[in-house]
Amino acid sequence: MSQETVGAIPTIEADAHAPADQTGTAADEAHGRNEHFSAAGEVILRAALAGVTPFTPVTVSITEVDANGHPFIGGARMTVHNVRAFEDGVDTRVSIEFDRPLQVRLSYLWP
């Protein structure tokens, strides 16, 4: 996982160490993909999504996940604010209102 900053907002790449059975695979790319992140506060989460272009409509949702990658609703309020598709990827600006980084999963859907 790497991190950079866009303006004052950090950008975090998808967690390469997420459970293999919980992360998107080539088989699900026709309909969507799940990516895991560890983050808190206002951040941009970046996922590499083969076949996406700047003109691809992409829908994104966020959920907290446990150590096994199972989604649940915990004490943090999480919102998706902006979605930007680019060549083979998507940046999503989110707010995770919690005092420490949480394990979250972003689910991406595109045609």
Side-chain angles (χ1 to χ4, degrees):
M1 176 170 52
S2 68
Q3 184 170 337
E4 66 180 69
T5 301
V6 175
I9 304 172
T11 297
I12 301 170
E13 292 188 21
D15 186 356
H17 304 292
D21 61 336
Q22 302 298 320
T23 305
T25 64
D28 66 1
E29 288 184 4
H31 303 287
R33 184 175 177 102
N34 293 325
E35 291 291 347
H36 291 232
F37 299 86
S38 178
E42 184 125 357
V43 294
I44 295 173
L45 303 180
R46 178 169 291 165
L49 301 175
V52 170
T53 74
F55 306 101
T56 304
V58 179
T59 302
V60 182
S61 66
I62 187 171
T63 187
E64 189 171 354
V65 293
D66 65 18
N68 297 314
H70 298 160
F72 70 96
I73 297 175
R77 181 168 43 182
M78 298 182 287
T79 53
V80 172
H81 294 281
N82 305 90
V83 178
R84 177 185 75 102
F86 56 91
E87 201 65 40
D88 292 326
V90 173
D91 282 344
T92 307
R93 183 175 178 172
V94 302
S95 179
I96 301 169
E97 296 178 30
F98 209 68
D99 60 355
R100 61 181 166 78
L102 297 176
Q103 296 300 311
V104 298
R105 181 182 76 196
L106 269 59
S107 297
Y108 303 88
L109 294 173
W110 69 94

